[in-house]
């Protein structure tokens, strides 16, 4: 059986084992290594991708369930020379450390801010519990995200 | 050259909140860590590990496994007969004849796919006869305990002078003054306390990982490490080849925290690369990473003090048992650090310390951010509060009176320079106000607050640097530094070089470790990168500067003393615009003397201890002490034992902060790891000698909801031999978190919070009067019984 889906806009015909995870196919077959395999069990969020626009952990998604879906990975977010507002805020606030959690963090938080344009600090922290980070202690990431909503307001 | 005179100027230029140059790629998923090397043609390797804590290997048969699909090579103990270690060479690469811990490698398989490698590893036939195991230090130290290393006496000693014996891998002692006399006085109160901590797992998001190749008769190892030169040395040693046959390069490292401060998977991958002639990738699965983590070790501690009514500490005796697991590893070195942490902070008129690394049949331990400093500070600060309770003195007042200051002696007799801790305490008091005696929060929970002090050190030691000045006016810094996430390679080092050469940091290219190109170095850890590599870089810049100015002086018809490097130009002092661009001078130099480069080196000669008072120590004293004052308010729910941190405040001695924003990041991250350590990161070892916690689902690292914004003050100006007066700032933020939370929790509950982590069930048990049994039958109240060197 062949499964048809798109990855970052490119069509993919997948005819391998339908039980393989999306994460394994991304990293090992397509060499899209932006999504990280950190826990492999759905806890850390480092493998987050967008499936039809919604963040999902790729380490738990069997390929067999992805027929007709559209996947966006961190590599497919924006263009190489264009950061989105979340990425830009993370650069401006200098919050990145080892960086392993950040591709997932960017995808989760970009979606969250699109859904919740004026979050409270508490809402940001709650939304972030699916994305673990061992380096930063989170709060400066929250500061960066909290700076986005007002900035966008000021611009519009 | 008047380096002295130019210091303030260089300092002003060096201090800035330079953003990280690696952030963009990391945010776009473009950074390639070692685990991201998934190229076609790579072979994948998998371990067969022991599933028993102690046993005799009767048979390892790889014949059937070798015939399985995709299998290219299998390696076992035969392929690596050498022993390695720190202080003592006690560690074989593979279990050889005996198994000493659950998870110890028996064999490693290379195959075309990872699934094939794992299938073949599982198909290796293994027969092991179980032997009695010591799973706790209490079992290991029992009179009739089986020896974990029956041949301990035959091991090669890599560092002389320590007492060893039986299941004691290493013993470091301090004896200064007459504690017997102090304890015998009738005007002292004797306070005794016991303390216990479990292990902490680093959980770097990138596990230990390596890709090894065998090229032109040499090994090329690309690895996720903090210590490229250690990897080079150990790989050569266990493979029995010359060190010059090994090249180590390091891509971006996805977190280290000390776990990667030792050689780990590299030699296994190297053997497989040699056997197959192919590139081989070996990556720990998360389960393996967790189950064989070189954790912050568990420890059992006894402290006794003789204190006068006015709070003078006339005598202190302590025994610290550190579980090193099946092999000595980093704990052998870390026995040294008890003297400077548990034996630190306070003036002691006499002191005896025994710090022992004890073998058990459990996974080996290692270095983790501030190492045993974290739990020694916990034990010391809890003990200090117990002293205050016993003599009826305010804990702040006791600390103010007793912290070490200018001219005071450390445990090993080192003389401290400068008053640092006391002004830091005073600052904390002014900033945060006195403790107000509150006992409950508004919503009825138990309230506690504590302020603690801590002492750690910068692990200095040899570093080398080369600076090449390029024709376009940029500079390339070549060192063995690696970027593990802390930002040193992308922030403080280019800032230092730029300030020295009058460039913008963006014009400083920083090359990361390649042992074929960069000079020898001790590694990235112990807060040493800014200090040691920074100092070597400054020395290299000085050579560059001298060459540049000599040529420029000729060109501008003036003397070198009249010239300064500024904004990419060489200018005559006081006459901006009168000079010329640095590119012009470089072009002239190429014609006159050739391209300009400079090399620099650094090492700290070591501060001596008082003769005869320290034995088994790797360093006598601490070259650069680092101090910290932490303050925490918390609330305990009396119905559930849940702890909420209400505020957390840090005053940290940083020497000079070159990039204050980056230091803030380290404080926020380090304190958060400390909160995990204090409250919920728990490792328990089961009857099979394996950890009960195998991954993220059961080993609980902090989430965004477990932390809070950490208030901080960077205390500047304390003495340091680091470049521009810096000290490393990344390691120390975790130092007193366990201490401060435990002290605050003890005040909230009125109970002895003497065991970490303080999980909610443990806090409930404490409040129910069912705290842990910390009587420690394996630690004698007679100090000398806890030593080999002084036992009678
Ligand atoms: S790797 Fe998928 S959630 Fe952790
Ligand atoms: S930056 Fe290292 S895990 Fe988040």
């Amino acid at each position: 059986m062949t499964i048809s889906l798109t990855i970052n806009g490119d069509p993919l015909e997948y005819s391998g084992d339908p039980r393989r995870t999306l994460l394994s196919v991304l990293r090992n077959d397509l060499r899209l290594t932006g999504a990280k395999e950190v826990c492999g069990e759905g806890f850390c969020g480092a493998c987050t991708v967008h499936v039809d626009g919604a963040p999902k952990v790729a380490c738990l998604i069997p390929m067999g369930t992805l027929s007709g879906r559209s996947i966006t990975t961190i590599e497919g977010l924006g263009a190489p020379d264009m950061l989105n507002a979340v990425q830009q805020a993370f650069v401006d606030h200098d919050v990145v450390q080892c960086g392993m959690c950040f591709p997932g963090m960017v995808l989760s938080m970009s979606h969250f801010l699109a859904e919740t344009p004026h979050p409270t600090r508490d809402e940001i922290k709650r939304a972030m519990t699916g994305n673990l980070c061992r380096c930063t202690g989170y709060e400066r990431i929250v500061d960066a995200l909290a700076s986005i909503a007002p900035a966008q307001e000021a611009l519009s | 050259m008047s380096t002295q005179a130019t210091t303030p100027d260089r300092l002003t230029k060096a201090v800035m909140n330079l953003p990280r140059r690696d952030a963009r790629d990391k945010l776009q998923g473009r950074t390639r860590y070692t685990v991201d090397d998934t190229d076609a043609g790579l072979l994948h390797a998998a371990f067969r590990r022991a599933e028993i804590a102690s046993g005799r290997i009767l048979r390892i048969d790889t014949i059937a496994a070798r015939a399985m699909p995709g299998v290219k090579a299998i390696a076992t103990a035969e392929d690596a007969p050498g022993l390695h270690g720190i202080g003592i060479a006690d560690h074989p690469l593979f279990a050889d004849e005996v198994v000493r811990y659950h998870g110890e490698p028996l064999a490693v398989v290379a195959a075309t796919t990872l699934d094939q490698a794992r299938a073949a590893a599982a198909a290796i036939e293994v027969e092991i006869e179980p032997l009695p195991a010591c799973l706790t230090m209490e079992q290991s130290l029992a009179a009739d305990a089986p020896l974990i290393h029956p041949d301990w006496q035959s091991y090669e000693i890599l560092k002389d002078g320590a007492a060893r014996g039986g299941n004691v891998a290493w013993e470091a002692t301090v004896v200064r003054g007459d504690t017997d006399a102090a304890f015998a006085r009738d005007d002292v109160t004797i306070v005794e306390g016991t303390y216990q901590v479990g292990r902490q797992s680093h959980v770097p998001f990138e596990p230990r990982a390596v890709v090894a190749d065998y090229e032109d008769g040499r090994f090329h190892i690309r690895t996720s490490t903090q210590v490229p030169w250690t990897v080079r040395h150990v790989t050569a040693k266990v493979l029995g080849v010359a060190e010059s046959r090994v090249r180590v390069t390091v891509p971006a490292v996805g977190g280290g925290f000390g776990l990667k401060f030792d050689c780990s998977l590299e030699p296994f991958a190297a053997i497989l690369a040699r056997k197959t002639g192919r590139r081989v990738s070996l990556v720990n699965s998360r389960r393996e990473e967790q189950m064989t983590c070189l954790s912050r070790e568990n420890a059992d501690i006894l402290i006794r003090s003789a204190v006068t009514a006015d709070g003078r500490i006339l005598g202190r005796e302590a025994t610290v048992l550190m579980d090193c697991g099946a092999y000595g590893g980093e704990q052998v070195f870390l026995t040294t650090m008890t003297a400077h942490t548990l034996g630190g902070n306070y003036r002691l008129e006499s002191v005896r310390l025994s710090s022992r690394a004890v073998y058990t049949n459990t996974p080996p331990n290692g270095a983790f951010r501030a190492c045993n400093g974290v739990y020694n500070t916990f034990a010391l600060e809890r003990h200090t509060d117990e002293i205050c309770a016993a003599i009826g003195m305010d804990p702040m007042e006791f600390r103010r009176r007793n912290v070490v200051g200018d001219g005071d002696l450390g445990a090993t007799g080192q003389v401290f320079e400068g008053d640092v801790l006391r002004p830091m305490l005073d600052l904390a008091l002014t900033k945060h106000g006195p403790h107000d005696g509150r006992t409950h929060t508004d919503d009825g929970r138990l309230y506690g607050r504590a302020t603690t002090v801590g002492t750690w050190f910068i692990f200095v030691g040899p570093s080398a640097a080369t600076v090449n000045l390029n024709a376009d006016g940029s500079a390339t810094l070549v060192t063995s530094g690696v970027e593990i996430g802390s930002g040193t390679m992308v922030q403080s080092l280019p800032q230092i070089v730029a300030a020295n050469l009058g460039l913008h940091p963006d014009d400083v290219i920083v090359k990361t470790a390649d042992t074929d190109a960069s000079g020898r170095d001790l590694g990235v850890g112990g807060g040493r990168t800014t200090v040691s590599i920074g100092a070597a870089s400054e020395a290299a810049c000085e050579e560059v500067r001298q060459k540049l100015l000599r040529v420029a002086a000729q060109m501008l018809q003036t003397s070198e003393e009249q010239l300064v490097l500024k904004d990419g130009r060489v200018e005559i002092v006081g006459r901006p615009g009168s000079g010329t661009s640095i590119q012009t001078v470089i072009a002239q130099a190429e014609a006159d003397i050739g391209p300009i480069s400079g090399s620099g080196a650094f090492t700290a000669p070591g501060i001596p201890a008082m003769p005869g008072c320290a034995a088994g120590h790797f360093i006598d004293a601490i070259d650069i002490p680092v101090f910290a004052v932490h303050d925490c308010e918390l609330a305990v729910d009396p119905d559930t034992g849940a702890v909420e941190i209400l505020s957390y405040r840090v005053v940290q001695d940083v020497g000079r902060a070159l990039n204050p924003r980056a230091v803030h990041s380290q404080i926020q991250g380090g304190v958060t790891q400390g909160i995990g350590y204090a409250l919920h990161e728990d490792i328990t070892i089961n009857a099979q000698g394996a950890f009960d916690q195998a991954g993220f689902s059961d080993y609980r690292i902090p989430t965004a909801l477990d932390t809070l914004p950490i208030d901080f003050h960077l205390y500047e100006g304390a003495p340091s031999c680091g470049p521009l007066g810096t000290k490393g700032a990344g390691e120390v933020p975790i130092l007193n978190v366990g201490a401060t939370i435990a002290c605050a929790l003890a005040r909230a509950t009125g109970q002895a919070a003497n065991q970490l982590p303080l999980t909610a069930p443990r806090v409930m048990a404490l409040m129910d009067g069912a705290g842990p049994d910390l009587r420690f039958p394996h630690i004698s109240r007679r100090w000398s019984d806890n030593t080999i060197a002084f036992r009678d």
Side-chain angles (χ1 to χ4, degrees), chain B residues 720-741:
Chain B
S720 169
C721 64
L724 304 165
T726 51
K727 299 184 177 186
E731 189 171 32
V732 81
I734 199 171
L735 181 68
N736 6 2
V737 186
T740 318
I741 290 176

Side-chain angles (χ1 to χ4, degrees), chain A residues 27 31 36 38 41 43 74 80 87 92 94 96-100 125 132 134-140, chain B residues 20 26-28 33 35-36 38 40 201-202 205 286 491 661 665 668-669 681 696-697 702 704 707-708:
Chain A
R27 289 183 56 82
R31 312 213 190 287
K36 303 301 179 198
V38 173
E41 50 185 10
F43 278 90
I74 191 71
Q87 290 167 315
D92 293 343
D94 196 43
V96 175
Q97 292 192 27
C98 88
M100 286 286 290
K125 289 185 81 165
L132 300 185
R134 189 52 158 166
C135 302
T136 63
Y138 305 103
E139 296 292 341
R140 299 190 66 256
Chain B
R20 303 177 66 111
K26 285 178 170 175
L27 288 164
Q28 293 188 304
Y33 303 85
V35 289
D36 294 328
T38 59
S201 178
H202 312 65
F205 272 31
R286 183 52 60 181
Q491 293 173 317
R661 191 166 64 170
S665 289
Q668 181 66 42
E681 293 186 29
F696 278 64
S697 57
T707 188
L708 72 171

Side-chain angles (χ1 to χ4, degrees), chain A residues 20 26-41 43-46 74-84 86-103 106 121-122 124-140 142-143, chain B residues 17-20 22-24 26-33 35-41 44 200-207 253-255 257 286 368-369 483-486 491 659 661-662 664-666 668-670 672-673 676 681 694-699 701-710:
Chain A
R20 273 185 76 200
L26 289 174
R27 289 183 56 82
N28 300 310
D29 298 8
L30 305 177
R31 312 213 190 287
L32 292 170
T33 55
K36 303 301 179 198
E37 179 168 1
V38 173
C39 70
E41 50 185 10
F43 278 90
C44 75
I74 191 71
E75 291 90 345
L77 190 75
D81 54 352
M82 256 292 285
L83 299 182
N84 80 5
V86 168
Q87 290 167 315
Q88 192 60 52
F90 288 172
V91 168
D92 293 343
H93 288 249
D94 196 43
V95 299
V96 175
Q97 292 192 27
C98 88
M100 286 286 290
C101 65
F102 272 97
V106 166
R121 200 176 171 89
D122 215 50
I124 296 175
K125 289 185 81 165
R126 270 169 212 290
M128 211 186 270
T129 51
N131 291 89
L132 300 185
C133 172
R134 189 52 158 166
C135 302
T136 63
Y138 305 103
E139 296 292 341
R140 299 190 66 256
V142 180
D143 293 342
Chain B
N17 284 327
L18 180 73
R20 303 177 66 111
D22 58 351
R24 251 184 121 85
K26 285 178 170 175
L27 288 164
Q28 293 188 304
R30 295 154 56 89
T31 303
R32 302 268 284 185
Y33 303 85
V35 289
D36 294 328
D37 198 337
T38 59
D39 292 351
H44 296 270
Q200 183 180 23
S201 178
H202 312 65
V203 197
F205 272 31
E206 182 187 38
V253 174
F257 315 116
R286 183 52 60 181
F368 187 153
R369 203 176 200 167
E483 178 52 47
I484 62 171
S486 63
Q491 293 173 317
N659 190 323
R661 191 166 64 170
H664 179 196
S665 289
Q666 291 300 309
Q668 181 66 42
T672 300
Q673 274 180 351
E681 293 186 29
F696 278 64
S697 57
D698 35 25
Y699 186 75
I701 64 168
T703 70
L705 293 178
D706 295 309
T707 188
L708 72 171
I710 308 305

Side-chain angles (χ1 to χ4, degrees), chain B residues 540-560:
Chain B
C541 287
E542 187 52 27
E543 189 180 329
V544 167
R545 220 171 80 88
Q546 287 183 21
K547 288 181 178 169
L548 200 60
L549 294 188
R550 205 170 306 140
V551 174
Q554 282 270 320
M555 290 171 73
L556 298 170
Q557 301 288 306
T558 180
S559 70
E560 292 159 42

Side-chain angles (χ1 to χ4, degrees), chain B residues 417-615:
Chain B
E417 219 188 298
D419 277 318
V420 186
L421 261 178
R422 192 172 302 107
M424 286 171 68
L425 265 176
D426 289 342
L427 188 101
L429 197 62
T430 319
K431 220 175 151 235
H432 310 144
H435 297 206
D436 61 5
R438 219 171 352 145
T439 57
H440 287 81
T441 58
D442 293 342
D443 59 7
R445 289 177 295 169
L446 304 170
Y447 169 93
R449 176 177 163 194
T451 308
T452 67
V453 295
T455 307
W456 187 239
F457 79 134
I458 301 300
F459 185 36
V460 287
S463 282
T466 303
V467 171
N468 297 319
L469 207 52
N470 306 311
D472 63 354
S474 66
T476 306
L477 173 68
V478 184
T479 74
S480 287
V482 300
E483 178 52 47
I484 62 171
S486 63
T488 315
M489 297 296 287
V490 289
Q491 293 173 317
S492 59
L493 290 182
Q495 286 175 235
I496 288 172
V497 170
N500 275 278
L501 297 180
L503 302 174
H504 188 276
D506 289 349
D507 293 321
V508 178
I509 300 150
V510 178
K511 169 140 181 53
T512 60
D514 176 347
T515 57
D516 275 7
S518 46
R520 165 133 159 92
D521 192 89
L522 227 50
V524 167
R528 65 183 298 283
T529 317
T530 301
V531 171
S532 296
I533 300 185
S537 303
E538 278 215 309
C541 287
E542 187 52 27
E543 189 180 329
V544 167
R545 220 171 80 88
Q546 287 183 21
K547 288 181 178 169
L548 200 60
L549 294 188
R550 205 170 306 140
V551 174
Q554 282 270 320
M555 290 171 73
L556 298 170
Q557 301 288 306
T558 180
S559 70
E560 292 159 42
E561 288 72 34
Q562 291 304 308
L563 294 174
V564 288
L565 295 171
K566 204 171 177 235
D567 302 330
R569 291 175 60 81
V570 184
E571 299 284 13
I572 299 172
V573 179
R575 291 171 51 199
S578 59
T580 182
S581 74
I582 199 168
Q583 289 93 333
T584 317
V585 185
I586 295 168
Q588 186 63 47
E590 292 213 1
D592 294 353
I593 57 171
I596 293 182
S597 68
S599 62
F602 174 81
T603 195
I607 291 175
M610 204 175 263
C613 77

